[in-house]
Amino acid sequence: MLWSRLFIPTLRETPVDAEVPSHQLLLRAGYIRQIAAGVYSYLFLAQRALLKITRIVREEMDGIGAQELLLPALNPAELWQESGRWDLMGANMFRLRDRFQRDLCLAMTHEEVVTAIARGELRSYKQLPQIWYQIQTKFRDEPRPKSGLLRVRQFLMKDSYSFDLDAAGLDVAYQKHYDAYCRIFTRCGLEYSIVEAHSGAMGGSQSHEFMVESEAGEDFIVVCRQCGYSANREKAAAQPTPPAAPDPEGDMTPEEFHTPGRKTIAEVSEFTGLPETSQMKSLVLMANGAAVLVLVRGDHQLSETKFAAAAGDPAFRPAHPEEIRAAFGADPGSLGPVGVRLRILADHALHGRRNMIAGANRDDYHLRHVTPGEDFQAEFMDLRQVEAGDACAHCGTPVEIRKTVEIGHIFKLGYKYSESMGLHVTNAEGAEITPIMGSYGIGIERILSAAIELYHDADGMCLPAAIAPFTVVVTPVNIADAAQKAAAESIYHACLDRGLDALLDDRDERPGVKFKDADLIGAPFRVTVGRKAAAGTVELVARRGRQTEDVPLAEAAARVASKVTHVN
Ligand SMILES: [Zn+2]
């Protein structure tokens, strides 16, 4: 293709509202333009990169025997009401009404639709197993769209669903996806890690997430450099951790004391001279319509995922100030468990502690000498997030916390949808059985964004050859020079003949402009055709690492082709 004919609206300045590198570079390199919050147009270069990614995804999904379908984005409410997710999805789901006032939604995922198809059509065990997939636009009414294509309201997903006769069959489908995902992300040129995303403590089904480490990410993972253990931070099982100081001295009789204006754990710690580990942090959450008091050690953070599982309400929310006032007679900052008639959930780390500090349920007062199990009763469980330095669940080494972007997720659904939506087949004996299901997702744009986050520099993207919109840009320094123009064209055609995705920068621009643009759009290789071309020499530049070498003009295309094979 000829650059002079293309629409590649590059920008010299970094757009002010773009914070993370992938967002800045997608805008600057002319890949995308925003049309509404979290809704983007994919221009020529983005679409080209995304088509390369989806081609890799398709090849690997087809390779495990998955069958490609295309399911409707527009779904009737009834299907989602059957599974119970019409209410559960809350404000995250785009909803609309048709002209007959019937409720519809824009699908965020397709478990309901595939289960409805399966129950209407699958009759016999002989028809199983099945793996169905699609690459389809999904919708999510994200409250705070940001970070370019990382948190959006409309996006592309590869989602697949497996149907099997029994758990052993599901294991096979799950492993096929696991292996296919590894091949997909490796072929896309990403460095990624695979983390456990389930927790035995919650009785959850098996699940893994595929993560790329990035400061732009919003997921945290726990990593053990010693044994290689890694897990989603929200769900990783927390290990016992000793407090910074022994239990405070005291007679285990709660005693009120005045703490004027001290509301936070840090303020009370400073006021009392006791470490944060000697305090109980009180959080009030509304789950299943009732207030629940949650206690964690002063220095710990609540895992919302663990709480949701414990409370049995994924749609829980923080209590409003007036709800807290009504239940405790005090405002946040002075809340505690003593004398409270609510369900109390307490983190394991508080079990066996004595003479702790907690709010007194009276504004500007706290209690000292509070002992869990004596002064109040609670259900003890794992409720906290793993912190950096906590012991590894497998080997005891202090763990690290890393920020990541999730690019894929595989999940054993079990019987949730087949049971609630009535999917049955007959087995060999003629008895009715319920198939077991799995669900597997890949964020298509996230692969592109994650690749940019991983591989960029101050000048632009350094994309892996497999997903870059163009593999090589051929740049004549002076297009008005007939010899340079002819040399560039011959290299360009030689690249095309070798099946390379080549772009000829035939624009009548200063060389600096052309080099800057080529750097920005992230093509892995550039062939610069300058004055030395008359003597049969051109310059080959590898975008990542900027290695530059002079190569004979006649061999330039072959050299690029061999490097592409080498890096993939
Ligand atoms: Zn370990």
Side-chain angles (χ1 to χ4, degrees):
M1 298 215 173
L2 306 180
W3 198 314
S4 64
R5 308 279 166 167
L6 299 180
F7 177 58
I8 304 177
T10 56
L11 308 171
R12 283 289 160 261
E13 303 297 323
T14 300
V16 285
D17 53 345
E19 286 170 14
V20 303
S22 61
H23 188 190
Q24 294 170 352
L25 291 174
L26 284 165
L27 289 169
R28 279 187 56 203
Y31 277 55
I32 62 170
R33 288 295 182 262
Q34 182 174 294
I35 197 153
V39 183
Y40 287 88
S41 300
Y42 302 156
L43 306 184
F44 177 63
L45 292 182
Q47 178 65 359
R48 227 174 141 80
L50 294 171
L51 286 172
K52 291 191 176 184
I53 293 168
T54 51
R55 188 190 308 154
I56 292 170
V57 171
R58 275 201 174 91
E59 285 173 7
E60 295 299 338
M61 292 306 297
D62 293 348
I64 61 168
Q67 304 154 74
E68 184 168 0
L69 321 172
L70 185 60
L71 306 168
L74 194 58
N75 286 192
E78 290 76 18
L79 274 184
W80 290 74
Q81 285 158 350
E82 273 190 63
S83 72
R85 292 208 291 183
W86 180 258
D87 293 327
L88 195 65
M89 291 303 189
N92 287 327
M93 194 154 71
F94 277 105
R95 296 155 201 266
L96 63 158
R97 286 226 167 103
D98 68 11
R99 63 175 68 203
F100 304 109
Q101 299 304 307
R102 287 184 292 235
D103 285 317
L104 300 156
C105 68
L106 297 177
M108 308 163 71
T109 172
H110 279 86
E111 281 84 359
E112 282 79 358
V113 173
V114 293
T115 311
I117 294 169
R119 79 175 163 198
E121 310 292 334
L122 297 179
R123 294 280 170 259
S124 160
Y125 72 98
K126 290 177 187 165
Q127 293 170 289
L128 296 182
Q130 293 285 334
I131 300 175
W132 300 344
Y133 83 97
Q134 64 169 344
I135 295 171
Q136 165 68 305
T137 301
K138 307 279 192 203
F139 300 86
R140 182 185 167 86
D141 198 356
E142 181 61 57
R144 290 173 299 278
K146 62 171 192 178
S147 305
L149 300 185
L150 286 172
R151 207 204 266 187
V152 287
R153 298 197 294 168
Q154 173 175 336
F155 51 97
L156 282 170
M157 263 189 74
K158 186 289 296 174
D159 47 329
S160 47
Y161 306 90
S162 63
F163 300 89
D164 282 279
L165 281 177
D166 52 28
L170 175 57
D171 286 345
V172 173
Y174 190 85
Q175 190 62 42
K176 279 184 179 176
H177 278 88
Y178 188 104
D179 295 341
Y181 278 34
C182 290
R183 289 191 292 270
I184 288 167
F185 299 132
T186 300
R187 285 182 63 187
C188 288
L190 298 179
E191 293 160 69
Y192 60 95
S193 38
I194 305 170
V195 306
E196 288 177 13
H198 71 292
S199 162
M202 293 192 294
S205 308
Q206 195 176 10
S207 169
H208 285 92
E209 288 165 337
F210 293 74
M211 300 291 212
V212 170
E213 282 189 22
S214 164
E215 277 304 305
E218 296 187 341
D219 287 299
F220 291 87
I221 63 168
V222 176
V223 178
C224 174
R225 297 291 173 199
Q226 182 68 30
C227 74
Y229 167 78
S230 57
N232 182 302
R233 185 194 196 180
E234 269 289 305
K235 296 160 193 168
Q239 303 303 303
T241 166
D247 289 335
E249 295 292 319
D251 59 2
M252 291 175 61
T253 307
E255 178 189 34
E256 210 174 63
F257 65 106
H258 195 206
T259 49
R262 274 72 172 188
K263 291 186 183 303
T264 66
I265 294 289
E267 286 165 355
V268 174
S269 179
E270 197 203 347
F271 185 74
T272 58
L274 292 170
E276 297 188 355
T277 56
S278 295
Q279 292 185 56
M280 288 186 276
K281 189 188 284 180
S282 297
L283 304 161
V284 189
L285 301 167
M286 302 297 290
N288 300 311
V292 179
L293 174 61
V294 180
L295 300 173
V296 294
R297 204 170 76 186
D299 60 317
H300 286 158
Q301 304 297 323
L302 175 71
S303 157
E304 296 189 352
T305 305
K306 291 178 184 177
F307 173 78
D313 181 5
F316 77 90
R317 61 170 173 83
H320 300 313
E322 56 278 13
E323 290 167 334
I324 292 176
R325 188 93 213 164
F328 291 82
D331 290 334
S334 302
L335 306 179
V338 178
V340 168
R341 294 182 175 201
L342 298 174
R343 185 177 180 197
I344 302 179
L345 304 183
D347 182 65
H348 276 318
L350 296 175
H351 194 257
R353 299 294 307 277
R354 299 166 163 212
N355 293 315
M356 303 280 285
I357 294 196
N361 297 327
R362 179 180 171 200
D363 288 340
D364 286 335
Y365 282 85
H366 279 74
L367 293 176
R368 57 167 72 95
H369 307 160
V370 179
T371 299
E374 295 284 330
D375 302 313
F376 66 92
Q377 298 302 320
E379 300 163 53
F380 287 94
M381 58 188 72
D382 181 10
L383 286 170
R384 71 178 181 92
Q385 284 182 354
V386 172
E387 304 287 341
D390 278 1
C392 166
H394 287 191
C395 75
T397 306
V399 296
E400 296 173 21
I401 305 291
R402 295 295 170 119
K403 225 173 176 185
T404 57
V405 171
E406 182 190 318
I407 50 174
H409 193 171
I410 56 178
F411 192 73
K412 288 185 179 174
L413 287 173
Y415 298 99
K416 180 171 160 44
Y417 296 91
S418 43
E419 251 163 24
S420 65
M421 296 181 67
L423 164 60
H424 307 292
V425 298
T426 53
N427 67 10
E429 288 74 44
E432 203 169 68
I433 60 160
T434 305
I436 188 166
M437 293 171 59
S439 164
Y440 318 86
I442 287 179
I444 301 295
E445 295 96 332
R446 282 191 167 207
I447 292 180
L448 176 59
S449 293
I452 299 167
E453 292 293 338
L454 281 175
Y455 312 117
H456 69 271
D457 59 24
D459 298 321
M461 306 177 188
C462 314
L463 288 173
I467 66 171
F470 288 99
T471 311
V472 54
V473 181
V474 180
T475 309
V477 170
N478 179 7
I479 195 75
D481 179 317
Q484 282 184 31
K485 183 165 184 277
E489 281 172 353
S490 81
I491 294 170
Y492 167 68
H493 287 291
C495 287
L496 294 183
D497 289 345
R498 290 178 176 273
L500 292 169
D501 230 339
L503 176 59
L504 177 62
D505 193 349
D506 61 335
R507 294 176 298 167
D508 185 14
E509 287 278 4
R510 286 179 290 115
V513 170
K514 297 205 265 192
F515 294 158
K516 271 198 162 63
D517 279 344
D519 282 351
L520 194 53
I521 69 167
F525 300 100
R526 185 179 80 220
V527 177
T528 309
V529 182
R531 254 169 288 169
K532 282 188 279 183
T537 302
V538 295
E539 190 182 69
L540 173 55
V541 184
R543 176 68 184 83
R544 200 184 298 175
R546 292 212 183 278
Q547 300 100 329
T548 300
E549 55 182 313
D550 282 346
V551 296
L553 195 157
E555 289 172 26
R559 197 67 70 87
V560 173
S562 77
K563 282 179 180 285
V564 169
T565 320
H566 187 67
V567 296
N568 279 322

